[in-house]
Amino acid sequence: MFSLGDLYQQVIIDHTKAPRNFGKLEPCNHDAEGYNPLCGDQLHVYLQVNDEQIIEDITFEGQGCSISTASASLMTEALKGKSLSAFQGLFDAFHAMATADMDDKPNEEVLGKLAVLAGVKEFPSRIKCATLCWHTVKSAMENAAQSARTE
Ligand code: ZN
C-alpha cells in the first residue's frame, strides 16, 4: 500500500546514497564549516553568489549521518538559483518545520521537497542533523558580511 511516510523515506535514502552537488566548488565566494557535536556530523558548504545576490551555485562536502547528508543534498537543490532573501525565507520555514508540534503540517508550498524531512521532529536528537547545513550556509553568508565590513 502506498504511504506518504515510505515516499519520504525513499527520497531521504536516495539523497543519502547519491548526494546532489557534492564536492568542492570552484570558484566560490562564500564558504563555511559546520559541526554537530551531538552526532559528529561535519559539513563544508561552498556558495557562489553573484552581484544580484543570487546563489548561482552551491555545493557541500563532509561526513555525517544519513539525515545530515540528505538534508544538505536537498538544501543545495532547493537553494541553487535562489536569492539570498529566498534563502532566509526557506531557512525560517525549515526551522519552523523541524521544531513544530507533531500535528503541524509542514508548509509544503514554501518548502517543496524539503518537507520530506518533517519526520525528524519525531527524533529530537536528529533535529540538529537536519538543520546543520542551513546554519552552515547562514554562517557562510554572515562571515562574508563581516569580512566585507573590515575591508
Ligand atoms: Zn547526524
Side-chain angles (χ1 to χ4, degrees):
M1 205 178 83
F2 178 81
S3 113
L4 202 58
D6 291 345
L7 175 69
Y8 282 9
Q9 204 132 35
Q10 270 170 28
V11 173
I12 291 170
I13 290 168
D14 176 41
H15 278 263
T16 306
K17 280 190 178 159
R20 316 300 196 271
N21 307 305
F22 191 86
K24 199 172 192 295
L25 179 65
E26 282 174 305
C28 85
N29 51 14
H30 301 274
D31 75 302
E33 283 181 36
Y35 179 52
N36 171 19
L38 291 175
C39 179
D41 306 316
Q42 277 179 304
L43 277 182
H44 197 140
V45 299
Y46 305 90
L47 293 101
Q48 180 66 21
V49 180
N50 69 17
D51 293 342
E52 279 83 51
Q53 304 291 290
I54 303 291
I55 300 169
E56 283 189 337
D57 211 349
I58 172 168
T59 67
F60 76 103
E61 281 183 321
Q63 285 192 315
C65 66
S66 53
I67 296 292
S68 70
T69 305
S71 183
S73 174
L74 284 157
M75 179 193 72
T76 57
E77 276 195 331
L79 290 181
K80 205 181 271 196
K82 295 270 164 54
S83 67
L84 293 185
S85 56
F87 160 72
Q88 189 58 50
L90 279 169
F91 179 96
D92 293 340
F94 191 86
H95 213 264
M97 173 181 80
T99 55
D101 290 336
M102 283 306 301
D103 298 337
D104 288 354
K105 290 250 177 303
N107 187 347
E108 288 189 41
E109 217 166 288
V110 176
L111 290 162
K113 227 199 234 178
L114 297 166
V116 301
L117 288 158
V120 295
K121 62 191 176 188
E122 281 180 60
F123 312 99
S125 63
R126 309 309 294 279
I127 290 171
K128 286 206 160 68
C129 302
T131 56
L132 175 66
C133 56
W134 291 89
H135 287 287
T136 309
V137 169
K138 207 176 169 130
S139 94
M141 303 318 303
E142 280 162 8
N143 289 346
Q146 238 162 32
S147 63
R149 268 204 297 276
T150 54
E151 267 165 19

